[in-house]
Amino acid sequence: MNEMNRLTAKFRREIARGYFSCLDRKRGLFVNRALDRAVYNQTIPLDRLLADQESAAFAIAQYAWDEIDGYRSEFGRFDYKCFRQLPFLEKSLLIESPDAFTAKKPGTIFYGSTSGSTGKSLRFAYDAAHASWAEACKLRGRTWYNVHRGDPVLVLWGRSVRTPSAGRKVLDRTKAYLRNELYFNTFASLDEPFLSEVAAGIGYHQPKVIYGYGSSLAALGRYLFERSPLVAPSKERLLVQYTADHLGAADSKILEESLGSMVVSDYGASEAPGIAFECPEGHLHISVDCYKIEFLDQEGNEVPEGEIGDIVVTSLHNRAMPLIRYRIGDLGGPINGSCSCGNTMPRMRLAVGKSIDTINTSFVKGVSSHYLDYINIELMRRGDDGIAQFKVIQDGTDKFRLMVVARKKGSAVDLGNFIHLLRDKIGPVEVNTELVQEIPREASGKHRYFVSVVKE
């Protein structure tokens, strides 16, 4: 990198840091303060960390019992000694009665939406404290690789299914510049022209992090590997961070070889981001200063090391919509002992990552099936909420089945908008619909909202 490029990179980094600080103040966040504490927390003894976590879990549960109608009716009489006897919060309950689990007191509340791996739409709320800590946990994980807020990032992610206006496009480009990000919409067809554009972006943006869906990163890695050397190597080792779906060992190795990168996992969910991050030794460390995580068997007992159970999450800072003993829908287990990386936070393994197929038809190639999530979210925004759960099965190159569980049993569901948005992205394919009572889990225990049975 010549002197001019170094000065430009430094200028962009300082602009981004200033932008993030201004944005935090506007939203009432305290990310930098939380990050300082989060970095300190990873150095203190585990028993002290866990004691602080237990106190925070009790405090948020007591608050929920005092202030949140839904929890008061679910908990009955709250007793700290019986924390593990508190009922689980099921996603279906949040979906059906979100207001009952949202704080009534005035204050700054942010909202998000997710369809999730079950195909069930969920609108959730969070406050400034939760947003600050979740972001701080993400940033803490990146510091393990000498990556800091404001450093250049290349993002492979999806966009809303809505067609943006000219003004929105300008605003998005401006925000990306201020954040020092280069953003690629992976709901485009991941064909050679698109991946070539991404490769060029790596060359001129010189990111310290490439962040995105595991499935999209896998496609990029295979493209680069076939054409290596295509991207000029950076002086610093590049960090590739995947989330939202699984990245197999073979694809991870290809990314490492084609980019000279470290490939690590970021585990969380839209309603609970920043649960765990992978350290340089390859272990997922749990953000115990943001969440209490339990790994439970079918009887509600903690599973020992070497076994897997349901991951149950309690958010420690979110007073807008506390998640207390929330079944997030993933499977995992604890790892005992200390890590050679020096981080004192406990470790976990994610037994079954979300498996995401890409959609290939005669008209498009490699469209991330996360697009189906965004269809469901868009329908929610339009007030078209007749779908309780869905699954799309690709039976042929241009032949699909849309399985739907109606939100109200026995009611008719208008699937025209879903089919229109699906065809808008993947072409004029055949879509047959099935109204069913239940969509069974996979053998792995997970729900998948897209499966292709087409042999490549």
Side-chain angles (χ1 to χ4, degrees), residues 259-331:
L259 286 170
S261 60
M262 285 280 291
V263 179
V264 301
S265 173
D266 163 3
Y267 171 57
S270 297
E271 67 271 36
I275 291 176
F277 294 85
E278 186 176 342
C279 74
E281 297 300 320
H283 295 137
L284 281 169
H285 287 268
I286 302 171
S287 302
V288 293
D289 41 9
C290 196
Y291 300 100
K292 176 180 173 63
I293 303 298
E294 300 172 85
F295 305 99
L296 306 178
D297 62 21
Q298 295 301 309
E299 286 72 44
N301 301 311
E302 290 273 1
V303 301
E305 183 179 27
E307 296 185 14
I308 63 170
D310 286 320
I311 297 177
V312 177
V313 178
T314 298
S315 59
L316 302 179
H317 301 286
N318 186 7
R319 298 198 167 203
M321 180 186 271
L323 300 179
I324 298 174
R325 307 206 84 203
Y326 172 64
R327 289 187 192 269
I328 202 166
D330 292 322
L331 303 173

Side-chain angles (χ1 to χ4, degrees), residues 170-182:
V170 172
L171 179 61
D172 287 344
R173 284 196 295 267
T174 302
K175 287 171 64 175
Y177 179 86
L178 292 173
R179 292 171 179 268
N180 205 6
E181 293 179 349
L182 187 59

Side-chain angles (χ1 to χ4, degrees), residues 33-53:
R33 179 156 44 95
L35 176 59
D36 288 342
R37 179 66 195 189
V39 170
Y40 170 73
N41 285 346
Q42 67 189 357
T43 66
I44 65 179
L46 178 58
D47 58 352
R48 181 176 154 193
L49 272 177
L50 295 180
D52 290 345
Q53 181 195 66

Side-chain angles (χ1 to χ4, degrees), residues 184-199:
F184 290 93
N185 181 8
T186 58
F187 291 164
S189 183
L190 300 188
D191 52 18
E192 185 165 335
F194 176 86
L195 294 172
S196 175
E197 187 178 352
V198 176

Side-chain angles (χ1 to χ4, degrees), residues 164-237:
S165 64
R168 183 71 211 188
K169 289 179 180 178
V170 172
L171 179 61
D172 287 344
R173 284 196 295 267
T174 302
K175 287 171 64 175
Y177 179 86
L178 292 173
R179 292 171 179 268
N180 205 6
E181 293 179 349
L182 187 59
Y183 197 111
F184 290 93
N185 181 8
T186 58
F187 291 164
S189 183
L190 300 188
D191 52 18
E192 185 165 335
F194 176 86
L195 294 172
S196 175
E197 187 178 352
V198 176
I202 297 172
Y204 66 76
H205 190 59
Q206 288 291 294
K208 292 188 71 174
V209 183
I210 299 179
Y211 177 82
Y213 298 133
S215 52
S216 301
L217 290 167
L220 174 64
R222 290 190 293 268
Y223 172 82
L224 294 176
F225 188 76
E226 292 170 0
R227 293 157 180 81
S228 184
L230 183 64
V231 178
S234 172
K235 286 187 176 181
E236 296 185 76
R237 194 173 188 189

